[in-house]
Amino acid sequence: MKALQKLTKGKKYGIFLDFEGTQFSHEIIAIGAVKCKLTPNGHIVQQKNYPTYKAYVKCLGQIGRIVTQLTSITEDILKQGITLEQMFDDFSAFLSVDPKECVFFVFGSNDHKMIVDSISYSKPCNAIFGYNVCKNMVDYLAFISQYCKDDNGNTYSLTSYLKLFGGTPFGVSHDPLNDALDLMNLYRQVYISKEKLKEEYIKVLSQQRNFPEPIKETISTLISGKNVTPKEFERKIKKFLE
């Protein structure tokens, strides 16, 4: 899939990553990650087991009631956690390669923000590692939502996308490792489900409202199974411009 090749840019490793963060300060309180080898065209290399990493991370701010309800992470759990600096060291050791050789897949824009905000609060000595992760990060939600949305034009949740493409969630959502595994599985399912992706993209195109009228009309005609000749397309444009 050429669009995925552009995302991975020939990187050797795909790291599927998820953070849980505090409600107000947006500091990282948990991390889950899965490491995969990638082919030059961005496909996950099949192997029996994929290395995983999970840790709880101490924060300076309060977790927040809503976050605790969603994640079951409490202040007592974080007392047993590690510092952001230690997490960066451990995560770097888990990668065992330069972050520049990796593409870090996340689902949504919050994970990037959590790294930056956590660094600004904790000021770890190895902040450069966190910034290098950010530089090589790809928001998979921004990618998949171009081709697949619900009937109201909204994006799905991670587990809903996964189920749509025939995958099964690994466990309870908002556990960072479960979410990272779900993201890896979604990436793989989308890659191999080209026919399903085509069907969903056709739906998205049919729902687009910002196309000029001749384009919308032509797409609708084609989706209905009819052909549109160049002359017919020209007539649609002429009519539109009258």
Side-chain angles (χ1 to χ4, degrees):
M1 189 176 178
K2 292 181 180 179
L4 279 179
Q5 283 183 264
K6 291 180 180 179
L7 286 184
T8 56
K9 298 178 181 178
K11 299 292 180 70
K12 297 179 180 179
Y13 301 95
I15 313 300
F16 295 88
L17 183 62
D18 182 70
F19 295 115
E20 300 298 333
T22 57
Q23 186 172 337
F24 301 109
S25 59
H26 307 295
E27 295 172 80
I28 295 169
I29 57 174
I31 175 178
V34 188
K35 179 182 177 182
C36 306
K37 291 181 180 179
L38 299 176
T39 64
N41 62 358
H43 186 52
I44 293 175
V45 175
Q46 188 70 31
Q47 59 188 80
K48 188 174 181 180
N49 294 302
Y50 297 97
T52 62
Y53 173 70
K54 180 179 177 179
Y56 292 106
V57 183
K58 295 176 180 177
C59 59
L60 297 179
Q62 297 294 310
I63 296 175
R65 180 175 56 84
I66 293 176
V67 170
T68 294
Q69 289 174 346
L70 285 173
T71 66
S72 299
I73 299 173
T74 63
E75 301 289 349
D76 286 340
I77 289 175
L78 289 196
K79 288 178 182 177
Q80 309 302 316
I82 58 179
T83 64
L84 181 70
E85 187 170 303
Q86 184 64 55
M87 186 272 280
F88 281 167
D89 280 343
D90 292 351
F91 188 34
S92 177
F94 164 75
L95 295 180
S96 71
V97 294
D98 191 317
K100 296 174 184 176
E101 295 183 54
C102 305
V103 53
F104 296 86
F105 288 103
V106 295
F107 192 79
S109 59
N110 287 336
D111 299 273
H112 185 287
K113 177 175 174 56
M114 278 190 271
I115 292 179
V116 173
D117 287 353
S118 295
I119 289 173
S120 69
Y121 279 103
S122 296
K123 297 179 173 54
C125 294
N126 53 0
I128 188 64
F129 172 79
Y131 289 130
N132 280 333
V133 170
C134 288
K135 287 178 183 177
N136 294 282
M137 187 175 283
V138 168
D139 179 0
Y140 194 73
L141 173 60
F143 169 78
I144 192 62
S145 63
Q146 298 175 83
Y147 308 102
C148 184
K149 295 179 181 179
D150 68 17
D151 292 339
N152 296 314
N154 300 316
T155 60
Y156 292 102
S157 67
L158 174 57
T159 54
S160 293
Y161 270 121
L162 183 55
K163 291 174 183 177
L164 185 68
F165 282 91
T168 302
F170 277 90
V172 179
S173 296
H174 299 294
D175 175 290
L177 184 53
N178 285 348
D179 288 350
L181 288 165
D182 283 347
L183 182 55
M184 177 190 73
N185 199 12
L186 173 62
Y187 180 96
R188 184 164 45 196
Q189 288 295 117
V190 170
Y191 194 96
I192 63 178
S193 304
K194 293 181 173 62
E195 191 64 26
K196 178 63 175 176
L197 186 62
K198 183 193 74 175
E199 292 174 9
E200 293 298 326
Y201 190 38
I202 288 173
K203 291 180 186 177
V204 169
L205 290 176
S206 67
Q207 294 166 358
Q208 287 281 7
R209 298 179 180 177
N210 55 350
F211 283 141
E213 193 58 38
I215 303 297
K216 287 175 62 178
E217 191 177 336
T218 299
I219 289 175
S220 296
T221 302
L222 292 171
I223 289 174
S224 70
K226 300 176 183 178
N227 292 324
V228 178
T229 67
K231 287 186 176 180
E232 288 171 333
F233 184 54
E234 286 181 14
R235 283 198 294 270
K236 292 178 188 295
I237 293 176
K238 184 178 179 181
K239 182 179 178 181
F240 175 70
L241 294 175
E242 286 178 349

